[in-house]
Amino acid sequence: MTDHRQNPDDAIKRTVQQCLTDQGWIALDSVAIATKCYATAVGPKQAYVYLALWGCEWVLTADYDSQGGNILESVRVTLPETADTDTDEIRRLTAALSDQIDARIADSYAVRLIRNEPQKRPFPLGTAVATPGAIALLEETLLDPGHLLSRHACGDWGDLCDEDRALNDAALEQGGRLMSVYRISEQDTVWVITEADRSVTTVLLPDEY
């Protein structure tokens, strides 16, 4: 008889990703399980969270390059062995990790430089969807759409022209559709569009618009 029970690591990963999503992170389907964008004096920078098995323990670690190294190297938590009986504890530990990351990055030099300046706050993406063409291109180029969504949510509009950047900045203040353009290669470009009511964000190719 086939055992259809969920693998413990899959259950733990989903629980962690859901908690991080609630904390403003974007889930990834790659080596890192989530990413979050932070505004800094040198432009938007991303932090990453990883879930790995260390011996017999599942451990969450994080990465954020600043001041010549990973300033989150010492930030880590050990999770309970299963998600079935310890979901609340996993969520508590994951939220605590996220808080530690926010605090450590807030104290980094590049963030302290702009602490008193007005900043673009990450905006809600709503339901994230992708068109067939975008999915095929991202799979072919091994690019996780979560990276593009994180940049978009942080106000990194990619290769958008100056006029459209100004429209986006106005839409952040007054409400309106938001659009980013990311050049993947010399031939390929991906668009990311968030509707004015912030209910849906779509990753698509220009010819699928």
Side-chain angles (χ1 to χ4, degrees):
M1 178 181 294
T2 302
D3 186 353
H4 293 288
R5 290 177 302 175
Q6 185 180 23
N7 291 331
D9 51 317
D10 291 337
I12 291 173
K13 179 180 177 181
R14 274 199 289 271
T15 300
V16 170
Q17 286 183 319
Q18 181 57 59
C19 181
L20 289 173
T21 299
D22 293 343
Q23 301 287 325
W25 294 72
I26 292 176
L28 298 176
D29 187 20
S30 60
V31 177
I33 64 169
T35 183
K36 187 175 182 180
C37 190
Y38 294 84
T40 79
V42 294
K45 296 181 65 175
Q46 289 178 284
Y48 298 92
V49 171
Y50 303 85
L51 175 64
L53 187 63
W54 291 17
C56 299
E57 298 177 324
W58 287 101
V59 178
L60 285 174
T61 59
D63 181 84
Y64 179 87
D65 288 330
S66 180
Q67 299 160 223
N70 176 20
I71 64 171
L72 303 178
E73 187 172 4
S74 63
V75 177
R76 64 188 62 173
V77 297
T78 301
L79 301 177
E81 294 182 2
T82 67
D84 294 335
T85 57
D86 296 303
T87 299
D88 290 343
E89 180 66 2
I90 290 174
R91 293 184 63 85
R92 185 188 70 78
L93 290 169
T94 302
L97 177 87
S98 180
D99 289 343
Q100 289 183 62
I101 292 171
D102 286 345
R104 191 70 60 87
I105 292 176
D107 197 44
S108 66
Y109 180 69
V111 172
R112 284 188 283 114
L113 283 176
I114 60 169
R115 185 163 293 165
N116 296 323
E117 298 178 6
Q119 298 299 315
K120 296 176 184 175
R121 294 182 178 273
F123 54 86
L125 298 175
T127 301
V129 299
T131 59
I135 292 173
L137 175 62
L138 294 174
E139 288 181 346
E140 179 184 342
T141 56
L142 302 179
L143 180 61
D144 194 309
H147 293 287
L148 300 183
L149 290 169
S150 179
R151 291 177 61 186
H152 177 69
C154 199
D156 176 0
W157 313 126
D159 300 294
L160 207 61
C161 67
D162 290 342
E163 181 179 354
D164 287 337
R165 286 175 181 272
L167 291 175
N168 274 358
D169 291 340
L172 282 174
E173 296 295 330
Q174 304 166 12
R177 192 184 68 168
L178 297 164
M179 177 179 179
S180 294
V181 175
Y182 302 108
R183 188 173 301 280
I184 307 303
S185 66
E186 292 185 3
Q187 298 80 24
D188 299 308
T189 299
V190 172
W191 289 1
V192 180
I193 298 175
T194 298
E195 299 303 325
D197 62 1
R198 309 296 185 259
S199 62
V200 178
T201 296
T202 305
V203 182
L204 70 161
L205 301 183
D207 60 10
E208 293 178 307
Y209 181 70

